[in-house]
Amino acid sequence: MSFASEVKAELCRIPVGGRTLAVAECCGVMLFCHTFTPREIRVVTASRAFSERLPKLIRRASGAAVPEAVPAGGRFALSLTEPETLARIFSALDIDTTRALSHHINLGLLEEPGCSEAFLRGAFLAGGSVTDPAKSYHLELSTAHYSVSRECAALLSEMGFPPREITRGGNYLLYYKKSEIIEDLLSTIGATTCAMRVMAAKVEKSMTNSINRKVNCDAANVDKTVAAAQAQLEAIRRIDREYGLDTLPEPLQQAALLRFANPEVSLTDLARLSYPPVSRSTLSYRLKKLMEYGQ
C-alpha cells in the first residue's frame, strides 16, 4: 500500500460526523472529484477505504441512498446520474442547478467548528496525494476548477498553510514541499499517525545525513593523515640515505624513528607514543623540521 493510500485509509477511519460536518466533507469531495455536473457525479479513487466511505458520507450529507463504488481498472468508481439523487446532493450543498453551474466553495457551509478541516479532508480524499516521506516531501490537491483552486488556496492560507500553485494537464494544483507543513496539514485533517511518520522520516534522514557527514569527514581526515605520513616517511628516508639519521639532533631522531615505526598513526596518537610524552604541537614542529631537512 502506498503512503497516500495509508493516509486516506487513516482519514476514513474517522467516523462520518453529523450532517453539518458530512456536508462540509462531501463538498470537498465533489469539488475535487473527477466529474461534478448537474447530469453526473463521478468519483474515481484507488483507495478502497474511501470508496467504502463514500455512500455513507453522501447519505449522511444529503439523505440520498447511493450504490457502492464498483471496481474499474484497478480503481473504484462511483457514478451517479439519477436525477433525484443528484438533486438531493446539490440541494444539500446549497447549489442552484437551475442556473449555469459555477464551481465555488460555499464558505457558508464551513462556518461551524471542524467544518473547514472536514472540507479539506474530503478534498484530499477525492483529489489529494502525498509521496512516501522516506523518499521525498510532496503533498498536493488537484481540482479541475480554477475558482475552487484559488478559493481553497485562500482557505488554506487563512488556516496557516499557504500553498504553492501550478497547473498540470488541465488541472489546478495546490502543493507543499516542506515536511513541517505536510505534518501539520495531515494532523489538521485527521491523519495524525501518518503525520508522525513524516516526522519520523525527517528525523531518520537527518540522522543519516549527520552520520554520512561524519563518515565523510573521518575518511577525509584519514586520507590527510596518510598523505602527510607518507610525505614525512619520504623525507626521513631521504635524510637517512643522504646524511644518516644519526646526524640529526636527538629530538628529531626520536621523531623520525617514531614515525617510521608507526606510518599510519595520527599526529595526536603519535605524540602519545613518544617517550617521554610530548604535546601534539611539539611533535608537529619536529616533523616539520624533518620535512625541511629532507627537501
Side-chain angles (χ1 to χ4, degrees), residues 80-277:
L80 304 175
T81 56
E82 207 278 324
E84 183 178 348
T85 299
L86 296 176
R88 281 176 173 269
I89 295 172
F90 277 97
S91 176
L93 301 182
D94 197 21
I95 297 175
D96 185 0
T97 56
T98 62
R99 295 180 295 177
L101 180 60
S102 179
H103 294 86
H104 290 280
I105 298 175
N106 184 349
L107 296 178
L109 301 177
L110 311 183
E111 293 178 346
E112 296 297 322
C115 285
S116 293
E117 292 82 356
F119 171 84
L120 293 175
R121 181 163 58 248
F124 184 84
L125 286 170
S129 66
V130 60
T131 58
D132 184 340
K135 299 176 181 177
S136 64
Y137 304 120
H138 183 90
L139 182 149
E140 67 182 38
L141 294 171
S142 174
T143 176
H145 316 298
Y146 174 74
S147 296
V148 171
S149 181
R150 297 294 298 139
E151 292 161 3
C152 189
L155 174 64
L156 285 162
S157 297
E158 186 178 321
M159 295 173 69
F161 307 112
R164 297 181 181 181
E165 303 177 52
I166 58 170
T167 58
R168 183 198 300 150
N171 287 327
Y172 302 92
L173 273 65
L174 307 175
Y175 71 98
Y176 302 94
K177 290 286 190 182
K178 293 185 177 180
S179 62
E180 296 85 356
I181 296 181
I182 293 173
E183 291 168 21
D184 291 344
L185 182 54
L186 290 178
S187 292
T188 296
I189 63 177
T192 53
T193 300
C194 288
M196 291 179 65
R197 280 191 55 190
V198 176
M199 188 182 304
K202 180 175 65 176
V203 171
E204 185 175 348
K205 284 181 182 179
S206 177
M207 291 179 61
T208 300
N209 290 337
S210 177
I211 291 171
N212 287 339
R213 283 193 297 271
K214 187 177 186 307
V215 169
N216 291 337
C217 182
D218 289 347
N221 288 337
V222 169
D223 290 343
K224 289 179 182 178
T225 298
V226 171
Q230 289 301 316
Q232 292 159 7
L233 288 170
E234 290 176 9
I236 291 168
R237 291 190 184 100
R238 191 176 300 113
I239 293 171
D240 187 38
R241 185 171 57 250
E242 296 182 7
Y243 310 106
L245 295 181
D246 56 356
T247 63
L248 295 171
E250 185 175 346
L252 295 188
Q253 286 188 45
Q254 291 178 355
L257 293 172
L258 193 64
R259 170 50 80 194
F260 197 80
N262 302 276
E264 296 180 357
V265 172
S266 69
L267 195 59
T268 300
D269 291 337
L270 203 61
R272 293 196 189 103
L273 293 173
S274 300
Y275 185 81

Side-chain angles (χ1 to χ4, degrees), residues 252 255 267 279-293:
L252 295 188
L267 195 59
S279 67
R280 183 181 185 281
S281 59
T282 297
L283 185 61
S284 175
Y285 172 79
R286 293 175 180 177
L287 290 172
K288 286 179 181 176
K289 295 298 293 183
L290 287 171
M291 294 287 290
E292 292 175 6
Y293 289 152

